Amino acid sequence: MATKVVSPAVLVPLQEALACAYWYKDDLRAFLRSATGQPELIAQLDWGGGSYKRAIVRQLVTTLAENQHRYFDTLIALILATVEIDPASLKRLDDGLTKYETATAALNVLRGLVEPYRAMRSEAEAAAQRRRIDHERAKKEQALARETAELHTKFLAMHSQEPQARGYALEGLLNRLFTVYDINAKGPFRIQGEQIDGAFTFAGTDYLLEAKWQKELSTTADLSIFADKVRRKLDNTLGLFLSINGFQPNAIKLSGEGGRRVLLLTEGYDLQLVLDGRIRFDELLRRKREHAARTGEILLRAADILA
């Protein structure tokens, strides 16, 4: 009996579909873990900040294809899970319709090649794989929704607290929020009066965090002092300034003028929409960074993203 193998003709379309269907590497990594059932193998891929999705996908598919005696079932599972991807979430990105159409075209090419591989694996196995992926995704989403709902309740209660107690409560909330989203915070955030300082790494970039909850709007001086802190770090460091009650309009304008932009601004209502489940925290950070890189504007409100 001949050994079953995946034809080389399907490997390039598989790589193209995977590279196009997910815009962010974190989303691609989560899908590959679930679709292959090989988290250790996925962890060995080069996910470094300078790596490209196509290189990562090529590395994985080449490993699976060259070791089919070991990974044949894994490769089949990846092919069949990939053709089930719905890339509709790409529409929310900048130039999203073009990205969606490109991904759909790549997926359709792969779909035209998968029938022999469906026959290699029973429909029951394929259905079980889809159920497992859907179950893991749903479980993760439910846990995230539950955690953020609890944090939302705490955030609303903070508004009636005294400043010092409110500051400590906000410190705990931010620590928990970063943990829930698997964002690497550099130790717990620390409070000084009504100001919270911390640091975290997200999408390959190091950030300093400054958070203020005071009655007054944050001023040009507040932003300038924090920007100076950030500029004293390495060049790839940015600052995220959270001002619960917002910023003076002139402070936003002046901080966004002249020199390299080193700050991203976020307000209490942004945090409210995250905790209310209207937008994911990691998506909000990505969109703020992308908008600032493209336009130079350091404040993109969550409400404007959702509009």
Side-chain angles (χ1 to χ4, degrees):
M1 181 178 178
T3 302
K4 294 185 293 184
V5 294
V6 173
S7 167
V10 79
L11 300 181
V12 172
L14 173 61
Q15 294 176 45
E16 183 68 13
L18 286 170
C20 294
Y22 290 100
W23 187 248
Y24 297 114
K25 287 194 290 186
D26 286 350
D27 295 335
L28 174 63
R29 177 163 45 189
F31 171 79
L32 293 178
R33 283 175 181 164
S34 182
T36 64
Q38 299 277 352
E40 298 84 3
L41 178 62
I42 303 308
Q44 293 171 10
L45 302 176
D46 182 11
W47 295 100
S51 59
Y52 293 95
K53 288 182 299 175
R54 292 183 184 279
I56 294 169
V57 168
R58 183 168 59 251
Q59 182 186 2
L60 172 63
V61 173
T62 299
T63 298
L64 298 179
E66 291 180 350
N67 299 276
Q68 292 193 46
H69 61 285
R70 178 180 178 186
Y71 292 123
F72 174 80
D73 289 339
T74 301
L75 183 53
I76 294 297
L78 178 59
I79 292 170
L80 296 184
T82 300
V83 298
E84 298 294 333
I85 293 173
D86 178 2
S89 62
L90 295 174
K91 293 179 182 178
R92 297 185 64 180
L93 303 172
D94 293 331
D95 198 23
L97 184 58
T98 298
K99 293 180 175 67
Y100 170 76
E101 291 173 349
T102 300
T104 299
L107 287 164
N108 285 339
V109 170
L110 182 63
R111 287 165 184 153
L113 302 171
V114 300
E115 286 310 314
Y117 306 105
R118 292 190 191 280
M120 289 180 182
R121 194 177 74 174
S122 69
E123 181 57 34
E125 290 174 318
Q129 176 75 358
R130 289 194 296 271
R131 286 196 298 271
R132 183 173 68 84
I133 294 172
D134 290 343
H135 175 72
E136 291 181 0
R137 183 188 302 116
K139 185 167 65 173
K140 184 175 180 179
E141 290 175 352
Q142 289 168 3
L144 180 63
R146 184 171 59 252
E147 292 274 9
T148 52
E150 291 175 1
L151 292 176
H152 186 216
T153 300
K154 293 179 180 179
F155 182 60
L156 294 178
M158 290 178 201
H159 288 74
S160 61
Q161 293 178 329
E162 293 298 320
Q164 185 175 26
R166 185 177 63 198
Y168 282 116
L170 181 60
E171 174 189 336
L173 185 146
L174 292 175
N175 278 312
R176 185 59 190 160
L177 182 64
F178 277 72
T179 299
V180 166
Y181 277 92
D182 294 324
I183 295 175
N184 181 24
K186 306 296 186 181
F189 300 127
R190 297 302 183 191
I191 183 172
Q192 299 177 0
E194 291 185 277
Q195 177 177 317
I196 296 172
D197 296 313
F200 62 95
T201 300
F202 176 71
T205 298
D206 291 327
Y207 287 81
L208 298 185
L209 172 73
E210 185 147 315
K212 287 182 179 291
W213 194 334
Q214 57 191 12
K215 288 191 295 185
E216 300 81 10
L217 301 178
S218 292
T219 66
T220 302
D222 294 329
L223 297 186
S224 296
I225 292 170
F226 184 48
D228 287 341
K229 291 182 185 178
V230 175
R231 291 191 179 99
R232 288 196 290 270
K233 306 300 181 182
L234 294 177
D235 283 347
N236 67 336
T237 304
L238 295 177
L240 180 67
F241 196 124
L242 167 63
S243 179
I244 296 297
N245 286 328
F247 303 89
Q248 293 179 352
N250 198 48
I252 299 171
K253 180 176 182 298
L254 292 177
S255 184
E257 290 182 349
R260 183 176 71 90
R261 310 295 191 266
V262 297
L263 300 186
L264 300 177
L265 307 185
T266 190
E267 299 173 328
Y269 191 55
D270 293 333
L271 183 59
Q272 166 81 13
L273 291 177
V274 168
L275 300 180
D276 199 27
R278 298 283 303 281
I279 187 170
R280 289 176 57 96
F281 184 50
D282 49 6
E283 180 182 357
L284 179 63
L285 290 179
R286 287 190 188 107
R287 294 295 295 273
K288 283 178 178 288
R289 169 82 183 269
E290 291 171 355
H291 182 77
R294 189 179 66 254
T295 68
E297 296 174 357
I298 62 175
L299 175 59
L300 173 65
R301 293 180 171 89
D304 293 331
I305 296 173
L306 295 171

